[in-house]
Amino acid sequence: MNVVSKDNLIKNVSVAWPLALNAILVQSMVLVDLMLIANLGEISVAALGLVSAILAFFVGTQYALANGTQLILARAVGGNDRHAMANGLVIGWLISAGFTLITSVLLLVGLDELLSWLVDDPLVSRQAYRYLQVSAFMLLVSSFAQVMIAFFNGSGQTRLPLYGYLIEIPMNVLISLVLIYGYFGFPELGLRGAAIGSLVAVSIRFGYLAWQLKRQRNLPIMASRKALNVAQVVTHFREIFPIATNFVTLASGVMLHQMLFAQLDVYSFAAITLVMPWMQMGAQFVTSWALATSINISQFRGRQQTHLISEFVEQAIRIILLLGVALCLVFVAFGELLPILYPKLDEQTQQALAAIAPIYILIPLVRTYNGLCGHSLRALGQSVKVLQIHFVTQWVIGIPYLILVLYCEGPLWAVFGSILLEECLKVFAFRKHLKRELTLLVSSDVERRTKR
């Protein structure tokens, strides 16, 4: 590995480690609620599993829109264009907030019918309804915060969002704990108390991010806001649309998976609900390396240093494979610690957890590789190809397989194994297309140098 490559990988680490901690803290918000309400019983756990799937779709779409904006901002940073950075930030706010307002209204209007269709148990449905009523307001605050996080990440200031989460999480724990169980004279709100705690904590993080944004020097936000026109918004939206569509495809697939899992008995569904946030946290932890890689690729493109990308990506792949193996070993230990983490679980829930253990242990190995390839292809301008791969493996193969297994009343491991099946199918396609893009990149660089 040459000195340039080492320097770039060190830079990747400096961007990735705050992103990794951010990912842990983001996912820990779900885990906070899960661990705090676990003692309320399987009904509350199942309700939280259902609403988490619905919220994951909306938050995931916000994240997708912000992720597309993040790549645009990273290119502007690479070109040292402050006006382009301000434009990207303001347009990102407009798009994200507009999406959230429309979807939140639709969610609240059709919430009762949606929950009635998704779950038969009226107790689960009632608790989920109360949680989602509060969470609609949390989504609006989050829409602005996500774009600010994209700005800080795209400009390499990944520690600032990290500090925001370090403020948010303790507040979430304290407020949720008080409101769930009614400590210090407050009413005992149960699962709804967890939703209120999350809303207050997210609002506090938003305030911190807004303060940090105000401290940014030479960022003409007001001038960009006044100078915006429809053409700029359309151009921005066209670039992020394939990325957003890709994330929406994945998020809606994950939501549908969780809804289909809800058709299982309450013990099996509770087991999956207990495991999924930990799986997602592990995936997000390693995805931070992939995100940092995509940010640096975008900055290479902004600085016209595309000749450095190929070797940089190959080195990043080797590292993420090692991280994937390490994560598999972490989940082996996690399986042994489950009785300690959740000591009051029903015996049938414990049996279901044991049945799906081999699957959630193996998933990180392939998911981490796919994540890096997908993010790298997006940064190289191949978002449509990534979308096609995800759509075919998830919607054409994975979800029909899951529906078939559920219809045939297959074993729990076969139902949960639909996630692993999808990830395995993506490996070959991602590797093939990424290798081709890197080869074309090297060829174009050689051709350009020859002409010079």
Side-chain angles (χ1 to χ4, degrees):
M1 193 190 308
N2 58 41
V3 175
V4 174
S5 181
K6 285 182 179 179
D7 290 341
N8 288 326
L9 286 176
I10 290 171
K11 181 181 178 183
N12 222 44
V13 171
S14 68
V15 173
W17 76 260
L19 288 174
L21 292 179
N22 284 345
I24 293 174
L25 294 173
V26 168
Q27 197 56 45
S28 70
M29 289 189 290
V30 178
L31 289 173
V32 164
D33 289 345
L34 184 60
M35 298 188 75
L36 289 177
I37 63 95
N39 290 334
L40 298 179
E42 271 77 10
I43 295 296
S44 294
V45 171
L48 182 59
L50 187 61
V51 299
S52 295
I54 296 172
L55 289 177
F57 171 77
F58 292 103
V59 174
T61 306
Q62 288 180 353
Y63 174 79
L65 294 168
N67 187 263
T69 298
Q70 182 172 288
L71 295 179
I72 294 174
L73 291 170
R75 283 206 307 274
V77 171
N80 196 27
D81 189 339
R82 306 294 292 184
H83 287 281
M85 292 169 64
N87 283 348
L89 178 65
V90 174
I91 295 173
W93 275 334
L94 287 174
I95 294 173
S96 183
F99 163 80
T100 302
L101 281 172
I102 294 171
T103 53
S104 294
V105 170
L106 293 175
L107 175 64
L108 291 175
V109 169
L111 184 56
D112 211 6
E113 292 77 8
L114 175 64
L115 291 174
S116 298
W117 176 69
L118 291 176
V119 63
D120 295 328
D121 192 323
L123 295 177
V124 174
S125 178
R126 190 178 304 118
Q127 292 201 34
Y129 183 86
R130 292 174 179 172
Y131 190 101
L132 286 170
Q133 279 184 316
V134 177
S135 296
F137 298 97
M138 184 268 290
L139 288 173
L140 184 59
V141 178
S142 174
S143 67
F144 288 96
Q146 287 282 8
V147 178
M148 286 190 281
I149 290 171
F151 169 80
F152 291 126
N153 288 342
S155 59
Q157 304 176 75
T158 52
R159 296 188 185 188
L160 295 181
L162 170 60
Y163 299 149
Y165 284 118
L166 289 175
I167 295 170
E168 176 187 356
I169 298 302
M171 298 301 299
N172 192 0
V173 173
L174 292 174
I175 298 171
S176 296
L177 186 62
V178 168
L179 295 179
I180 290 171
Y181 296 103
Y183 296 140
F184 306 114
F186 284 87
E188 185 177 341
L189 300 178
L191 191 59
R192 186 181 178 88
I196 295 173
S198 296
L199 171 60
V200 174
V202 169
S203 299
I204 292 171
R205 172 166 58 93
F206 166 79
Y208 167 78
L209 292 172
W211 173 65
Q212 288 290 354
L213 187 64
K214 188 177 180 180
R215 298 179 63 197
Q216 297 293 305
R217 297 179 179 178
N218 301 321
L219 189 64
I221 294 178
M222 296 304 295
S224 293
R225 183 175 64 84
K226 294 177 181 178
L228 278 182
N229 56 59
V230 175
Q232 291 176 321
V233 176
V234 170
T235 300
H236 185 111
F237 183 75
R238 281 178 178 172
E239 181 164 354
I240 72 172
F241 180 74
I243 299 173
T245 304
N246 182 51
F247 275 87
V248 169
T249 300
L250 287 174
S252 58
V254 171
M255 182 173 68
L256 183 56
H257 269 84
Q258 197 75 351
M259 292 175 180
L260 289 171
F261 290 152
Q263 308 307 309
L264 297 166
D265 63 86
V266 68
Y267 301 103
S268 296
F269 183 50
I272 293 175
T273 299
L274 290 171
V275 167
M276 287 294 283
W278 294 97
M279 290 177 57
Q280 291 163 2
M281 183 172 71
Q284 290 297 324
F285 176 77
V286 180
T287 298
S288 62
W289 181 256
L291 281 171
T293 302
S294 68
I295 289 171
N296 282 316
I297 291 173
S298 295
Q299 291 184 358
F300 284 143
R301 293 179 68 193
R303 291 192 294 266
Q304 304 299 316
Q305 294 178 326
T306 55
H307 61 283
L308 301 175
I309 293 176
S310 181
E311 183 181 356
F312 173 69
V313 171
E314 291 296 336
Q315 293 293 338
I317 287 175
R318 295 189 187 101
I319 292 173
I320 208 165
L321 287 175
L322 292 175
L323 292 174
V325 172
L327 193 55
C328 290
L329 296 176
V330 168
F331 276 109
V332 171
F334 168 74
E336 299 298 322
L337 292 174
L338 273 172
I340 300 174
L341 293 172
Y342 306 108
K344 296 184 179 181
L345 293 179
D346 189 277
E347 183 178 350
Q348 295 182 60
T349 305
Q350 295 178 25
Q351 292 173 354
L353 285 167
I356 63 176
I359 298 168
Y360 68 68
I361 289 171
L362 289 174
I363 285 174
L365 187 60
V366 285
R367 179 173 278 175
T368 52
Y369 177 80
N370 291 334
L372 188 134
C373 291
H375 282 290
S376 297
L377 282 168
R378 291 189 195 101
L380 290 169
Q382 295 298 314
S383 298
V384 174
K385 180 57 65 177
V386 176
L387 170 61
Q388 291 171 347
I389 293 171
H390 283 309
F391 180 82
V392 171
T393 55
Q394 187 174 67
W395 289 93
V396 177
I397 300 174
I399 290 176
Y401 162 83
L402 175 56
I403 294 172
L404 178 63
V405 174
L406 285 170
Y407 178 78
C408 296
E409 298 182 355
L412 178 58
W413 64 265
V415 173
F416 192 64
S418 60
I419 301 174
L420 180 59
L421 173 65
E422 290 178 17
E423 295 296 336
C424 290
L425 292 172
K426 294 173 187 175
V427 171
F428 175 76
F430 272 135
R431 180 57 183 170
K432 173 185 174 183
H433 289 289
L434 181 58
K435 187 175 182 179
R436 184 175 66 182
E437 286 302 312
L438 294 178
T439 300
L440 290 173
L441 202 61
V442 171
S443 299
S444 63
D445 284 332
V446 171
E447 183 177 348
R448 187 164 53 249
R449 291 178 185 179
T450 300
K451 288 182 181 180
R452 289 178 183 176

